[in-house]
Structures are given as C-alpha cells and as structure tokens.
Amino acid sequence: MNGRAGILASLLAVVALLAAYLLLGGGTYAPREVPDPCAPRELSPERPVGEQIALSALDGAACELQVTREDLTLALASESERESFQAAYDVDDEEFAEATRAGLERAIGDAEGLGTLSATEASIAREVVARLPYEQLVDLLGRVTGEDDPLAALTETIVSGVELGEDIDGILEDIGNLIP
C-alpha cells in the first residue's frame, strides 16, 4: 500500500467514525433526562434483585423528599454530605427519617413482589423499619443502597434485633401478632 492509499483509508475511517458518532446522538450536548423517582419502577427477573431493591429504596426516599435519586445517593456518602443535603433542601432530621422509612417500605414491597421476601418476612421488615431510630434508619438505607447484597443488609437488620431503644419484648410481641 502506498502513501496515498494509507491517507485515503485513514480519512475514510475518520468520516465513518464521525458519521456513527452523529447518528448515535453525539451531535447534541443535552444531558440525559433524570428519571422521576416517583414513577413506578418496572421489576424484572432478569435484573439483579439486589440492584432493584436498592434503587427502589432510593427512589421511594427521593420521591418523598422531591429530589433526584442521584442527589440523595450522594447525601448518603457521609454524615457531612447528609447534613449539607439537608441544609440545601431545607430538610430536618424528622423529614429525612420519614422519607427514608418510605423508601425502605417501598423496597420491602418490591422485594415481596419479586418473591425474595415472604409476606411474613415483609411484615416483620415493615415493623422493624417503622420502629428504627433516626441514625439506625439512615444507616440501614445507606447499607441497603451501598452493599453488593442489599437484601442481606435488610434481612440482617430484621434478624439481628437491632437495639431499638424500646422494649424489645413489646416489639417481638407486635411482630408475633403479624405472623399467622
């Protein structure tokens, strides 16, 4: 191959690459639209269950706070990030806790819908989430969304009988009443 053929082949490759880039949307600089966290998430047996549960928990909490899932995810990185997030969005600890509960309850419902939690396990999980104090609740959301196996983090919290700062016998009695 002589020099001209090499240059011509290079130019054709550049033109083909540029055409493919433009055809695939590379000509615009518009960012991708951020998904609405309040929109129902379609559950799929093909996607990893843990991923779906983590996204569901984040979506539920983000929907409750009317923020993006991405902003909430960044807020869970550390306590200082959470405090900055709460200050930026004017969210107090109680509102953040309620949003976190809503997100975890949504994730429990989705896990039940996927068949990874039985109805009894889901009832117990809801009872535990309803009673967790603020710091443990936020910690649980962080673990559910930050681990390889968020379902394990959720069930570990249920099974371990997290110190709830309440009468554990009363909680166990309430949970016992949920079991048919």
Side-chain angles (χ1 to χ4, degrees), residues 116-151:
T116 56
L117 284 181
S118 69
T120 302
E121 291 168 324
S123 294
I124 293 169
R126 285 185 184 95
E127 190 67 26
V128 170
V129 166
R131 293 171 182 261
L132 282 175
Y134 175 72
E135 287 300 324
Q136 289 174 327
L137 192 63
V138 173
D139 177 61
L140 176 58
L141 181 62
R143 286 189 298 129
V144 165
T145 59
E147 291 195 11
D148 291 334
D149 188 0
L151 188 59

Side-chain angles (χ1 to χ4, degrees), residues 33-35 37 58-59 62 67-76 85:
E33 191 172 313
V34 177
L58 285 170
D59 279 342
V67 299
T68 66
R69 182 179 67 218
E70 292 74 13
D71 285 345
L72 181 61
T73 302
L74 293 173
L76 294 171
F85 170 88

Side-chain angles (χ1 to χ4, degrees), residues 3-180:
R4 286 186 180 177
I7 291 173
L8 184 59
S10 297
L11 284 173
L12 287 174
V14 167
V15 169
L17 180 63
L18 218 87
Y21 176 77
L22 291 172
L23 286 172
L24 294 173
T28 65
Y29 293 102
R32 291 182 61 179
E33 191 172 313
V34 177
D36 178 7
C38 297
R41 177 172 292 285
E42 190 169 320
L43 303 176
S44 167
E46 286 82 42
R47 289 183 76 183
V49 172
E51 176 186 319
Q52 293 182 80
I53 292 169
L55 291 174
S56 178
L58 285 170
D59 279 342
C63 177
E64 194 76 17
L65 293 170
Q66 294 296 299
V67 299
T68 66
R69 182 179 67 218
E70 292 74 13
D71 285 345
L72 181 61
T73 302
L74 293 173
L76 294 171
S78 69
E79 188 174 339
S80 64
E81 289 293 329
R82 187 181 76 234
E83 289 169 357
S84 296
F85 170 88
Q86 287 181 262
Y89 288 99
D90 194 29
V91 174
D92 63 25
D93 286 352
E94 188 175 320
E95 291 169 314
F96 197 85
E98 287 309 309
T100 301
R101 272 191 187 86
L104 290 167
E105 287 171 5
R106 179 173 169 175
I108 291 165
D110 285 349
E112 186 179 14
L114 286 166
T116 56
L117 284 181
S118 69
T120 302
E121 291 168 324
S123 294
I124 293 169
R126 285 185 184 95
E127 190 67 26
V128 170
V129 166
R131 293 171 182 261
L132 282 175
Y134 175 72
E135 287 300 324
Q136 289 174 327
L137 192 63
V138 173
D139 177 61
L140 176 58
L141 181 62
R143 286 189 298 129
V144 165
T145 59
E147 291 195 11
D148 291 334
D149 188 0
L151 188 59
L154 186 58
T155 53
E156 176 188 311
T157 299
I158 296 164
V159 172
S160 69
V162 177
E163 291 184 19
L164 302 172
E166 294 185 35
D167 173 24
I168 195 71
D169 292 329
I171 293 168
L172 292 175
E173 183 180 323
D174 289 347
I175 291 171
N177 293 334
L178 296 171
I179 301 172

